[in-house]
């Protein structure tokens, strides 16, 4: 037999508010997407091997073959996308837009033409629009990873977010980059009505 359950709405509200505060204060593990063109996969493998212990402290994802390489060296990516030319770069881009990726390490082959150059450029544009960390070669990826790892350790020790120094009045760098564009959207909608 079913029984009616009486819920104390005030108590339920307090529980929900506590859960929301706990979620806000929790230290989420940043996600890094790794991508490497075929001629750069050897360098990406060396990067991963040299930085293996730091990378273990992050959630990792990436395009298909790169994630297979991560698994081969003992890392466990949280998922993988298709190969870059089959839409993987676009899938990583969608993850950036959704706020699911905090950094992209993309070792591009500077000496080969790529059939999916439009996808590569779109991904690079999203990295800039959403102000995620970016490492385009071994040295820059190493520097970004070291910086992110140091910040992660500080966050774990103090419970407070650590990031880069932001200009005064710019608490959200992505919003600062996107604000002018977003302000034109209402005008474009109005213009479409005439």
């Amino acid at each position: 037999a079913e029984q009616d359950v009486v819920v104390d709405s005030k108590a339920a509200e307090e529980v929900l508010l506590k859960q929301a505060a706990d979620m806000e204060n929790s230290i989420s593990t940043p996600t890094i997407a790794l991508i490497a063109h075929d001629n750069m996969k050897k360098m990406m493998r060396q990067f991963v091997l040299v930085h293996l212990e730091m990378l273990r402290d992050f959630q990792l994802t990436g395009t298909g073959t790169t994630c297979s390489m991560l698994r081969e060296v003992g890392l466990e990516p949280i998922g993988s996308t298709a190969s870059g030319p089959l839409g993987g770069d676009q899938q990583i881009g969608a993850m950036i837009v959704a706020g699911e990726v905090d950094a992209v390490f993309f070792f591009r082959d500077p000496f080969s033409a790529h059939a999916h150059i439009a996808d590569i450029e779109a991904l690079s544009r999203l990295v800039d629009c959403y102000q995620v960390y970016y490492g385009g070669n071994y040295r820059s990826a190493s520097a970004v990873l070291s910086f992110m790892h140091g910040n992660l350790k500080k966050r774990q020790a103090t419970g407070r977010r650590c990031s880069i120094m932001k200009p005064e009045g710019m608490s959200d760098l992505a919003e600062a980059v996107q604000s002018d564009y977003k302000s034109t959207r209402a005008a474009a909608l109005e213009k479409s009505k005439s």
Side-chain angles (χ1 to χ4, degrees):
E2 291 184 32
Q3 295 179 345
D4 290 334
V5 177
V6 179
V7 177
D8 178 356
S9 63
K10 186 68 174 168
E13 180 182 355
E14 288 176 18
V15 168
L16 290 173
L17 287 172
K18 180 168 179 359
Q19 287 175 341
D22 289 346
M23 288 174 62
E24 182 69 26
N25 294 328
S26 70
I27 299 174
S28 62
T29 304
T31 300
I32 300 172
L34 292 99
I35 309 165
H37 285 148
D38 287 349
N39 289 340
M40 302 302 289
K41 291 208 187 305
K42 183 176 180 180
M43 184 170 285
M44 177 63 80
R45 179 183 294 270
Q46 293 305 311
F47 173 83
V48 168
L49 291 172
V50 166
H51 298 89
L52 195 61
E53 291 311 311
M54 276 196 276
L55 288 168
R56 287 187 198 284
D57 290 338
F58 293 90
Q59 292 186 87
L60 304 174
T61 191
T63 49
T65 311
T66 303
C67 277
S68 295
M69 180 269 298
L70 293 174
R71 287 183 195 93
E72 286 177 1
V73 300
L75 294 171
E76 298 178 22
I78 58 173
S80 68
T81 66
S83 176
L86 298 177
D89 297 337
Q90 292 180 352
Q91 288 175 296
I92 298 292
M95 292 169 73
I96 291 170
V97 172
E100 299 168 0
V101 169
D102 302 286
V104 175
F105 298 161
F106 190 169
F107 290 10
R108 296 185 297 175
D109 178 358
F111 297 110
S112 297
H114 301 282
H116 65 297
I117 190 66
D119 299 341
I120 296 166
E121 291 170 347
L123 179 61
S124 297
R125 187 179 151 284
L126 289 174
V127 163
D128 292 339
C129 284
Y130 289 88
Q131 293 291 294
V132 300
Y133 291 105
Y134 181 76
N137 59 52
Y138 190 103
R139 286 178 189 260
S140 62
S142 183
V144 169
L145 178 61
S146 295
F147 182 78
M148 288 180 70
H149 192 261
N151 281 348
L152 179 63
K153 291 301 179 188
K154 286 178 195 171
R155 276 176 58 189
Q156 290 170 339
T158 65
R160 289 180 295 180
R161 295 181 66 101
C162 302
S163 188
I164 61 170
M165 293 175 55
K166 298 174 187 169
E168 191 172 320
M170 287 189 189
S171 62
D172 183 337
L173 294 174
E175 183 59 34
V177 170
Q178 298 170 21
S179 64
D180 286 345
Y181 172 77
K182 286 180 178 180
S183 69
T184 66
R185 298 304 80 215
L189 185 59
E190 280 302 311
K191 187 175 180 179
S192 73
K193 294 176 184 177
S194 56

